[in-house]
Amino acid sequence: MESRICKNCSASFTIEPDDFGFYEKMQVPSPTWCPECRLIRRLARRNERSFHRRTCEKCIKQMISIFAEDSGVHVYCSPCWWSDSWDGLEYGGDVDFSKPFLPQLDELFHRVPIMTLYGLYTTLVNSDYTNMVGHLKNCYMVTYSDHCEDATYGSFVNWSKNCVDNLMAERCELCYETINCSKCYRTFFSVDCEGCSDVWFSKNCAGCNNCFGCVNLRNKSYHIFNEPYSKEEYEKKLKELYPDSLEKIEATQKKVEALWKEAPQKFMHGWRNTASSGDYLTDTKNAKDCFIGFDMEDSRYCTFVTGKLTDAYDFTNYGENSSKIYETLQAGDQVYNIKFSHWAITNCQNMEYSLFCVGSKDLFGCVGLKKRQYCIFNKQYSKEGYEELVAKIKSQMTKAGEYGEFFPISISPFGYNETTAQEFFPLTKEQALAKGYTWRDPVSRDYKIGGDVVACENAGKTTSCTTAFKLVPQELQFYERMNFPVPKLCPNCRHERRLAFRNPMKLWSRQCAKCSKEIQTSYSPERPEIVYCESCYQQEII
């Protein structure tokens, strides 16, 4: 075990023996930044929900893009980028050993066309307005989601159908305004529930059905505010409580949130985890200091993971049957041995310092290549020539202190406020600029209110508010089917409201409120919640 001082924030952090074993296996130097600074650095290149209007530079088609016009990034629409009508090798060049490597790679990144939105375009059906997605059908404005149908406005929604306005949902159907729910059916305005159906305004419930305003229940039916009712009494009472107006919704939310705060919370959100730490984890084994993900094993410092992931450190976003990944953002679908890269998908192998590459292997410092091998700076080499030049580049990068570090935040193509870093580690514009980051002010839009265009009630109150929004047919059909009122907040403000229920990606030492056992939890000691360790929580729930 070794204690070090972070080169970025000067905080102390520890590298443990297992960590050194991983770095040796991956043939990389041990980190110089602390885990939190490394996470922020990756998140500052992750733009999930900030969109801009652009024109495809190939077919001149109008489109939406995550890259603003002034970002300097050349953008193709999805059909053009995924087509065979262009080749990334056209932009190749030689490495200049008289200059640092990463600035040269950033120059290449600003020459090669990039897709307008992240996602597996060929797996999308009638789901154009989505980002960081795959295998969707009839979806609108869902982000970082896979294997969904008829979903509208959601983030981290997987294997779900007919869902609207959800955050962190897995295998759900007909769910609305939920946070961190899985295997639920007809579950509404609820948080941290699993295997529930016809559940309303409830938290930390599992295996329940026909419950309203409940907390910490297991396998219960016909309960209201944790009190049992007969089936007939419940159905009669539900008609009175049914959230068919915004006033009813707001009043009920205020009441249940007060009830939730009085109930003990488990130190960690998740299900069926073994020897794991972090938060919002499901079905993990030996996943340490990980947040928001499922089906992980033998990994550490990983976030936003979907699908099978093994043997990974400092990895953010995606997964799906992938292994041996280090300091990488957005990679998945059968990828192996990926280091210091951004967006490597579908059978990529042995890749370092590369961006937006598909189905390729043995790449170093490449951008936008598809099904290529033995390339450096988008130039083709023989196997022997590639290996010799990579060794030379690594040697120089190591001497310059570049090798082993992810891309600096200062060269992110996004404003800090456009990225997920702002969601978890918010800064003011002045703070971000003082750190050398970029900031993108919102574009002023003159919306004409009326018809299907609604003014947001939060207009001018938050920086992310769109001030107005359009009601799309798919969501209107859902509201009519469920007899719900039309929302008065724009999708961005609704997303921010859901984010308030999600804990930070950070752990604190705290004592169990019942047995005083030391626990590591995402509930900071200053928060008012009553937090229990695993065993005390299991004894307490009904």
Side-chain angles (χ1 to χ4, degrees), residues 277-304:
S277 63
D279 208 3
Y280 299 108
L281 303 178
T282 300
D283 297 316
T284 67
K285 181 180 180 182
N286 193 31
K288 305 291 181 63
D289 301 290
C290 295
F291 297 87
I292 309 178
F294 53 88
D295 204 2
M296 282 183 276
E297 188 171 345
D298 298 330
S299 298
R300 193 171 191 186
Y301 306 125
C302 295
T303 52
F304 290 117

PDB file of all heavy atoms in Angstrom, residues 277-304:
ATOM      1  N   SER A 277     -18.255  -2.202  -3.196  1.00  0.00           N
ATOM      2  CA  SER A 277     -18.482  -0.931  -2.517  1.00  0.00           C
ATOM      3  C   SER A 277     -18.782   0.140  -3.555  1.00  0.00           C
ATOM      4  O   SER A 277     -18.392   0.039  -4.713  1.00  0.00           O
ATOM      5  CB  SER A 277     -17.258  -0.530  -1.683  1.00  0.00           C
ATOM      6  OG  SER A 277     -16.131  -0.334  -2.518  1.00  0.00           O
ATOM      7  N   GLY A 278     -19.474   1.177  -3.110  1.00  0.00           N
ATOM      8  CA  GLY A 278     -19.889   2.248  -4.010  1.00  0.00           C
ATOM      9  C   GLY A 278     -21.362   2.499  -3.826  1.00  0.00           C
ATOM     10  O   GLY A 278     -21.875   2.472  -2.708  1.00  0.00           O
ATOM     11  N   ASP A 279     -22.092   2.709  -4.922  1.00  0.00           N
ATOM     12  CA  ASP A 279     -23.528   2.955  -4.807  1.00  0.00           C
ATOM     13  C   ASP A 279     -24.213   2.693  -6.132  1.00  0.00           C
ATOM     14  O   ASP A 279     -23.592   2.771  -7.199  1.00  0.00           O
ATOM     15  CB  ASP A 279     -23.783   4.402  -4.375  1.00  0.00           C
ATOM     16  CG  ASP A 279     -25.088   4.540  -3.599  1.00  0.00           C
ATOM     17  OD1 ASP A 279     -25.754   3.512  -3.357  1.00  0.00           O
ATOM     18  OD2 ASP A 279     -25.435   5.673  -3.228  1.00  0.00           O
ATOM     19  N   TYR A 280     -25.502   2.372  -6.045  1.00  0.00           N
ATOM     20  CA  TYR A 280     -26.336   2.044  -7.208  1.00  0.00           C
ATOM     21  C   TYR A 280     -25.727   0.904  -8.015  1.00  0.00           C
ATOM     22  O   TYR A 280     -25.472   1.017  -9.214  1.00  0.00           O
ATOM     23  CB  TYR A 280     -26.550   3.277  -8.086  1.00  0.00           C
ATOM     24  CG  TYR A 280     -27.251   4.406  -7.369  1.00  0.00           C
ATOM     25  CD1 TYR A 280     -26.566   5.559  -6.998  1.00  0.00           C
ATOM     26  CD2 TYR A 280     -28.600   4.312  -7.035  1.00  0.00           C
ATOM     27  CE1 TYR A 280     -27.203   6.592  -6.326  1.00  0.00           C
ATOM     28  CE2 TYR A 280     -29.248   5.342  -6.362  1.00  0.00           C
ATOM     29  CZ  TYR A 280     -28.543   6.479  -6.006  1.00  0.00           C
ATOM     30  OH  TYR A 280     -29.181   7.494  -5.334  1.00  0.00           O
ATOM     31  N   LEU A 281     -25.482  -0.196  -7.331  1.00  0.00           N
ATOM     32  CA  LEU A 281     -24.890  -1.379  -7.960  1.00  0.00           C
ATOM     33  C   LEU A 281     -25.851  -2.558  -7.850  1.00  0.00           C
ATOM     34  O   LEU A 281     -26.535  -2.721  -6.843  1.00  0.00           O
ATOM     35  CB  LEU A 281     -23.564  -1.738  -7.285  1.00  0.00           C
ATOM     36  CG  LEU A 281     -22.485  -0.657  -7.253  1.00  0.00           C
ATOM     37  CD1 LEU A 281     -21.255  -1.165  -6.508  1.00  0.00           C
ATOM     38  CD2 LEU A 281     -22.117  -0.215  -8.666  1.00  0.00           C
ATOM     39  N   THR A 282     -25.863  -3.390  -8.866  1.00  0.00           N
ATOM     40  CA  THR A 282     -26.695  -4.584  -8.885  1.00  0.00           C
ATOM     41  C   THR A 282     -25.914  -5.736  -9.511  1.00  0.00           C
ATOM     42  O   THR A 282     -25.258  -5.555 -10.543  1.00  0.00           O
ATOM     43  CB  THR A 282     -27.987  -4.342  -9.691  1.00  0.00           C
ATOM     44  OG1 THR A 282     -28.718  -3.269  -9.081  1.00  0.00           O
ATOM     45  CG2 THR A 282     -28.863  -5.583  -9.722  1.00  0.00           C
ATOM     46  N   ASP A 283     -25.967  -6.882  -8.852  1.00  0.00           N
ATOM     47  CA  ASP A 283     -25.340  -8.109  -9.373  1.00  0.00           C
ATOM     48  C   ASP A 283     -23.854  -7.908  -9.662  1.00  0.00           C
ATOM     49  O   ASP A 283     -23.354  -8.211 -10.752  1.00  0.00           O
ATOM     50  CB  ASP A 283     -26.060  -8.579 -10.647  1.00  0.00           C
ATOM     51  CG  ASP A 283     -27.500  -8.960 -10.387  1.00  0.00           C
ATOM     52  OD1 ASP A 283     -27.753  -9.647  -9.378  1.00  0.00           O
ATOM     53  OD2 ASP A 283     -28.377  -8.563 -11.166  1.00  0.00           O
ATOM     54  N   THR A 284     -23.113  -7.402  -8.671  1.00  0.00           N
ATOM     55  CA  THR A 284     -21.677  -7.204  -8.832  1.00  0.00           C
ATOM     56  C   THR A 284     -20.902  -8.107  -7.870  1.00  0.00           C
ATOM     57  O   THR A 284     -21.419  -8.529  -6.837  1.00  0.00           O
ATOM     58  CB  THR A 284     -21.271  -5.738  -8.578  1.00  0.00           C
ATOM     59  OG1 THR A 284     -21.478  -5.442  -7.189  1.00  0.00           O
ATOM     60  CG2 THR A 284     -22.084  -4.797  -9.433  1.00  0.00           C
ATOM     61  N   LYS A 285     -19.663  -8.362  -8.210  1.00  0.00           N
ATOM     62  CA  LYS A 285     -18.778  -9.161  -7.367  1.00  0.00           C
ATOM     63  C   LYS A 285     -17.382  -8.540  -7.404  1.00  0.00           C
ATOM     64  O   LYS A 285     -16.805  -8.354  -8.478  1.00  0.00           O
ATOM     65  CB  LYS A 285     -18.723 -10.606  -7.867  1.00  0.00           C
ATOM     66  CG  LYS A 285     -17.844 -11.525  -7.028  1.00  0.00           C
ATOM     67  CD  LYS A 285     -17.844 -12.934  -7.582  1.00  0.00           C
ATOM     68  CE  LYS A 285     -16.962 -13.854  -6.752  1.00  0.00           C
ATOM     69  NZ  LYS A 285     -16.920 -15.236  -7.307  1.00  0.00           N
ATOM     70  N   ASN A 286     -16.893  -8.192  -6.218  1.00  0.00           N
ATOM     71  CA  ASN A 286     -15.570  -7.571  -6.118  1.00  0.00           C
ATOM     72  C   ASN A 286     -15.471  -6.338  -7.012  1.00  0.00           C
ATOM     73  O   ASN A 286     -14.502  -6.133  -7.733  1.00  0.00           O
ATOM     74  CB  ASN A 286     -14.464  -8.571  -6.480  1.00  0.00           C
ATOM     75  CG  ASN A 286     -13.089  -8.060  -6.079  1.00  0.00           C
ATOM     76  OD1 ASN A 286     -12.938  -7.336  -5.105  1.00  0.00           O
ATOM     77  ND2 ASN A 286     -12.076  -8.436  -6.860  1.00  0.00           N
ATOM     78  N   ALA A 287     -16.499  -5.516  -6.953  1.00  0.00           N
ATOM     79  CA  ALA A 287     -16.492  -4.220  -7.648  1.00  0.00           C
ATOM     80  C   ALA A 287     -16.339  -3.144  -6.578  1.00  0.00           C
ATOM     81  O   ALA A 287     -17.245  -2.905  -5.788  1.00  0.00           O
ATOM     82  CB  ALA A 287     -17.775  -4.033  -8.436  1.00  0.00           C
ATOM     83  N   LYS A 288     -15.192  -2.519  -6.537  1.00  0.00           N
ATOM     84  CA  LYS A 288     -14.868  -1.587  -5.456  1.00  0.00           C
ATOM     85  C   LYS A 288     -14.938  -0.140  -5.958  1.00  0.00           C
ATOM     86  O   LYS A 288     -14.484   0.171  -7.059  1.00  0.00           O
ATOM     87  CB  LYS A 288     -13.460  -1.870  -4.923  1.00  0.00           C
ATOM     88  CG  LYS A 288     -13.235  -3.318  -4.464  1.00  0.00           C
ATOM     89  CD  LYS A 288     -14.018  -3.645  -3.215  1.00  0.00           C
ATOM     90  CE  LYS A 288     -13.775  -5.068  -2.740  1.00  0.00           C
ATOM     91  NZ  LYS A 288     -12.379  -5.328  -2.353  1.00  0.00           N
ATOM     92  N   ASP A 289     -15.507   0.709  -5.122  1.00  0.00           N
ATOM     93  CA  ASP A 289     -15.580   2.140  -5.432  1.00  0.00           C
ATOM     94  C   ASP A 289     -16.207   2.380  -6.801  1.00  0.00           C
ATOM     95  O   ASP A 289     -15.713   3.191  -7.601  1.00  0.00           O
ATOM     96  CB  ASP A 289     -14.184   2.770  -5.365  1.00  0.00           C
ATOM     97  CG  ASP A 289     -13.545   2.609  -4.007  1.00  0.00           C
ATOM     98  OD1 ASP A 289     -14.006   3.255  -3.059  1.00  0.00           O
ATOM     99  OD2 ASP A 289     -12.587   1.810  -3.888  1.00  0.00           O
ATOM    100  N   CYS A 290     -17.289   1.675  -7.070  1.00  0.00           N
ATOM    101  CA  CYS A 290     -17.992   1.789  -8.351  1.00  0.00           C
ATOM    102  C   CYS A 290     -19.374   2.411  -8.130  1.00  0.00           C
ATOM    103  O   CYS A 290     -19.975   2.242  -7.073  1.00  0.00           O
ATOM    104  CB  CYS A 290     -18.135   0.423  -9.015  1.00  0.00           C
ATOM    105  SG  CYS A 290     -16.556  -0.333  -9.501  1.00  0.00           S
ATOM    106  N   PHE A 291     -19.871   3.105  -9.134  1.00  0.00           N
ATOM    107  CA  PHE A 291     -21.142   3.803  -9.012  1.00  0.00           C
ATOM    108  C   PHE A 291     -21.972   3.642 -10.279  1.00  0.00           C
ATOM    109  O   PHE A 291     -21.461   3.773 -11.390  1.00  0.00           O
ATOM    110  CB  PHE A 291     -20.908   5.303  -8.761  1.00  0.00           C
ATOM    111  CG  PHE A 291     -20.187   5.605  -7.477  1.00  0.00           C
ATOM    112  CD1 PHE A 291     -18.797   5.618  -7.431  1.00  0.00           C
ATOM    113  CD2 PHE A 291     -20.892   5.869  -6.310  1.00  0.00           C
ATOM    114  CE1 PHE A 291     -18.128   5.892  -6.246  1.00  0.00           C
ATOM    115  CE2 PHE A 291     -20.229   6.142  -5.123  1.00  0.00           C
ATOM    116  CZ  PHE A 291     -18.844   6.151  -5.082  1.00  0.00           C
ATOM    117  N   ILE A 292     -23.240   3.349 -10.082  1.00  0.00           N
ATOM    118  CA  ILE A 292     -24.232   3.278 -11.157  1.00  0.00           C
ATOM    119  C   ILE A 292     -23.833   2.242 -12.203  1.00  0.00           C
ATOM    120  O   ILE A 292     -23.225   2.544 -13.227  1.00  0.00           O
ATOM    121  CB  ILE A 292     -24.473   4.637 -11.829  1.00  0.00           C
ATOM    122  CG1 ILE A 292     -24.770   5.715 -10.778  1.00  0.00           C
ATOM    123  CG2 ILE A 292     -25.644   4.547 -12.809  1.00  0.00           C
ATOM    124  CD1 ILE A 292     -24.980   7.102 -11.357  1.00  0.00           C
ATOM    125  N   GLY A 293     -24.189   0.994 -11.951  1.00  0.00           N
ATOM    126  CA  GLY A 293     -23.884  -0.046 -12.915  1.00  0.00           C
ATOM    127  C   GLY A 293     -24.348  -1.402 -12.436  1.00  0.00           C
ATOM    128  O   GLY A 293     -24.738  -1.574 -11.277  1.00  0.00           O
ATOM    129  N   PHE A 294     -24.326  -2.347 -13.339  1.00  0.00           N
ATOM    130  CA  PHE A 294     -24.719  -3.704 -12.975  1.00  0.00           C
ATOM    131  C   PHE A 294     -23.857  -4.705 -13.721  1.00  0.00           C
ATOM    132  O   PHE A 294     -23.252  -4.411 -14.756  1.00  0.00           O
ATOM    133  CB  PHE A 294     -26.209  -3.944 -13.245  1.00  0.00           C
ATOM    134  CG  PHE A 294     -26.677  -3.620 -14.648  1.00  0.00           C
ATOM    135  CD1 PHE A 294     -26.613  -4.558 -15.656  1.00  0.00           C
ATOM    136  CD2 PHE A 294     -27.217  -2.378 -14.936  1.00  0.00           C
ATOM    137  CE1 PHE A 294     -27.062  -4.270 -16.932  1.00  0.00           C
ATOM    138  CE2 PHE A 294     -27.664  -2.071 -16.214  1.00  0.00           C
ATOM    139  CZ  PHE A 294     -27.590  -3.025 -17.215  1.00  0.00           C
ATOM    140  N   ASP A 295     -23.784  -5.907 -13.134  1.00  0.00           N
ATOM    141  CA  ASP A 295     -23.058  -7.021 -13.734  1.00  0.00           C
ATOM    142  C   ASP A 295     -21.581  -6.691 -13.942  1.00  0.00           C
ATOM    143  O   ASP A 295     -21.040  -6.768 -15.042  1.00  0.00           O
ATOM    144  CB  ASP A 295     -23.703  -7.425 -15.062  1.00  0.00           C
ATOM    145  CG  ASP A 295     -23.397  -8.880 -15.421  1.00  0.00           C
ATOM    146  OD1 ASP A 295     -22.732  -9.559 -14.615  1.00  0.00           O
ATOM    147  OD2 ASP A 295     -23.828  -9.331 -16.493  1.00  0.00           O
ATOM    148  N   MET A 296     -20.912  -6.322 -12.838  1.00  0.00           N
ATOM    149  CA  MET A 296     -19.476  -6.034 -12.857  1.00  0.00           C
ATOM    150  C   MET A 296     -18.739  -7.029 -11.976  1.00  0.00           C
ATOM    151  O   MET A 296     -19.283  -7.499 -10.975  1.00  0.00           O
ATOM    152  CB  MET A 296     -19.196  -4.626 -12.330  1.00  0.00           C
ATOM    153  CG  MET A 296     -19.457  -3.513 -13.283  1.00  0.00           C
ATOM    154  SD  MET A 296     -18.995  -1.913 -12.547  1.00  0.00           S
ATOM    155  CE  MET A 296     -20.477  -1.526 -11.623  1.00  0.00           C
ATOM    156  N   GLU A 297     -17.486  -7.289 -12.321  1.00  0.00           N
ATOM    157  CA  GLU A 297     -16.678  -8.198 -11.511  1.00  0.00           C
ATOM    158  C   GLU A 297     -15.212  -7.791 -11.586  1.00  0.00           C
ATOM    159  O   GLU A 297     -14.710  -7.390 -12.645  1.00  0.00           O
ATOM    160  CB  GLU A 297     -16.854  -9.635 -12.012  1.00  0.00           C
ATOM    161  CG  GLU A 297     -16.206 -10.679 -11.111  1.00  0.00           C
ATOM    162  CD  GLU A 297     -16.572 -12.104 -11.491  1.00  0.00           C
ATOM    163  OE1 GLU A 297     -17.535 -12.299 -12.255  1.00  0.00           O
ATOM    164  OE2 GLU A 297     -15.879 -13.029 -11.000  1.00  0.00           O
ATOM    165  N   ASP A 298     -14.535  -7.887 -10.438  1.00  0.00           N
ATOM    166  CA  ASP A 298     -13.090  -7.617 -10.366  1.00  0.00           C
ATOM    167  C   ASP A 298     -12.739  -6.281 -11.013  1.00  0.00           C
ATOM    168  O   ASP A 298     -11.844  -6.175 -11.861  1.00  0.00           O
ATOM    169  CB  ASP A 298     -12.306  -8.750 -11.040  1.00  0.00           C
ATOM    170  CG  ASP A 298     -12.516 -10.084 -10.360  1.00  0.00           C
ATOM    171  OD1 ASP A 298     -12.757 -10.096  -9.144  1.00  0.00           O
ATOM    172  OD2 ASP A 298     -12.461 -11.126 -11.045  1.00  0.00           O
ATOM    173  N   SER A 299     -13.419  -5.234 -10.584  1.00  0.00           N
ATOM    174  CA  SER A 299     -13.217  -3.906 -11.159  1.00  0.00           C
ATOM    175  C   SER A 299     -13.197  -2.859 -10.055  1.00  0.00           C
ATOM    176  O   SER A 299     -13.671  -3.094  -8.941  1.00  0.00           O
ATOM    177  CB  SER A 299     -14.323  -3.585 -12.170  1.00  0.00           C
ATOM    178  OG  SER A 299     -14.303  -4.498 -13.257  1.00  0.00           O
ATOM    179  N   ARG A 300     -12.664  -1.686 -10.396  1.00  0.00           N
ATOM    180  CA  ARG A 300     -12.598  -0.611  -9.412  1.00  0.00           C
ATOM    181  C   ARG A 300     -12.683   0.751 -10.113  1.00  0.00           C
ATOM    182  O   ARG A 300     -12.228   0.911 -11.243  1.00  0.00           O
ATOM    183  CB  ARG A 300     -11.304  -0.700  -8.601  1.00  0.00           C
ATOM    184  CG  ARG A 300     -11.318   0.180  -7.359  1.00  0.00           C
ATOM    185  CD  ARG A 300     -10.137  -0.064  -6.436  1.00  0.00           C
ATOM    186  NE  ARG A 300     -10.348   0.624  -5.156  1.00  0.00           N
ATOM    187  CZ  ARG A 300      -9.451   0.709  -4.189  1.00  0.00           C
ATOM    188  NH1 ARG A 300      -8.279   0.105  -4.333  1.00  0.00           N
ATOM    189  NH2 ARG A 300      -9.716   1.345  -3.071  1.00  0.00           N
ATOM    190  N   TYR A 301     -13.284   1.700  -9.430  1.00  0.00           N
ATOM    191  CA  TYR A 301     -13.433   3.062  -9.928  1.00  0.00           C
ATOM    192  C   TYR A 301     -14.173   3.099 -11.270  1.00  0.00           C
ATOM    193  O   TYR A 301     -13.788   3.858 -12.176  1.00  0.00           O
ATOM    194  CB  TYR A 301     -12.066   3.746 -10.067  1.00  0.00           C
ATOM    195  CG  TYR A 301     -11.215   3.728  -8.820  1.00  0.00           C
ATOM    196  CD1 TYR A 301      -9.920   3.220  -8.844  1.00  0.00           C
ATOM    197  CD2 TYR A 301     -11.705   4.220  -7.609  1.00  0.00           C
ATOM    198  CE1 TYR A 301      -9.134   3.199  -7.699  1.00  0.00           C
ATOM    199  CE2 TYR A 301     -10.920   4.193  -6.462  1.00  0.00           C
ATOM    200  CZ  TYR A 301      -9.636   3.680  -6.517  1.00  0.00           C
ATOM    201  OH  TYR A 301      -8.866   3.655  -5.385  1.00  0.00           O
ATOM    202  N   CYS A 302     -15.216   2.303 -11.407  1.00  0.00           N
ATOM    203  CA  CYS A 302     -15.987   2.268 -12.647  1.00  0.00           C
ATOM    204  C   CYS A 302     -17.367   2.904 -12.427  1.00  0.00           C
ATOM    205  O   CYS A 302     -17.955   2.774 -11.350  1.00  0.00           O
ATOM    206  CB  CYS A 302     -16.142   0.842 -13.155  1.00  0.00           C
ATOM    207  SG  CYS A 302     -14.568   0.073 -13.633  1.00  0.00           S
ATOM    208  N   THR A 303     -17.892   3.556 -13.451  1.00  0.00           N
ATOM    209  CA  THR A 303     -19.172   4.246 -13.359  1.00  0.00           C
ATOM    210  C   THR A 303     -19.961   4.084 -14.646  1.00  0.00           C
ATOM    211  O   THR A 303     -19.396   3.911 -15.724  1.00  0.00           O
ATOM    212  CB  THR A 303     -18.953   5.752 -13.123  1.00  0.00           C
ATOM    213  OG1 THR A 303     -18.049   6.265 -14.108  1.00  0.00           O
ATOM    214  CG2 THR A 303     -18.359   6.024 -11.756  1.00  0.00           C
ATOM    215  N   PHE A 304     -21.285   4.151 -14.522  1.00  0.00           N
ATOM    216  CA  PHE A 304     -22.193   4.045 -15.675  1.00  0.00           C
ATOM    217  C   PHE A 304     -21.911   2.783 -16.494  1.00  0.00           C
ATOM    218  O   PHE A 304     -21.592   2.855 -17.683  1.00  0.00           O
ATOM    219  CB  PHE A 304     -22.072   5.277 -16.575  1.00  0.00           C
ATOM    220  CG  PHE A 304     -22.622   6.543 -15.978  1.00  0.00           C
ATOM    221  CD1 PHE A 304     -21.785   7.619 -15.724  1.00  0.00           C
ATOM    222  CD2 PHE A 304     -23.968   6.664 -15.675  1.00  0.00           C
ATOM    223  CE1 PHE A 304     -22.284   8.796 -15.171  1.00  0.00           C
ATOM    224  CE2 PHE A 304     -24.474   7.837 -15.123  1.00  0.00           C
ATOM    225  CZ  PHE A 304     -23.634   8.899 -14.873  1.00  0.00           C
TER     226      PHE A 304
END
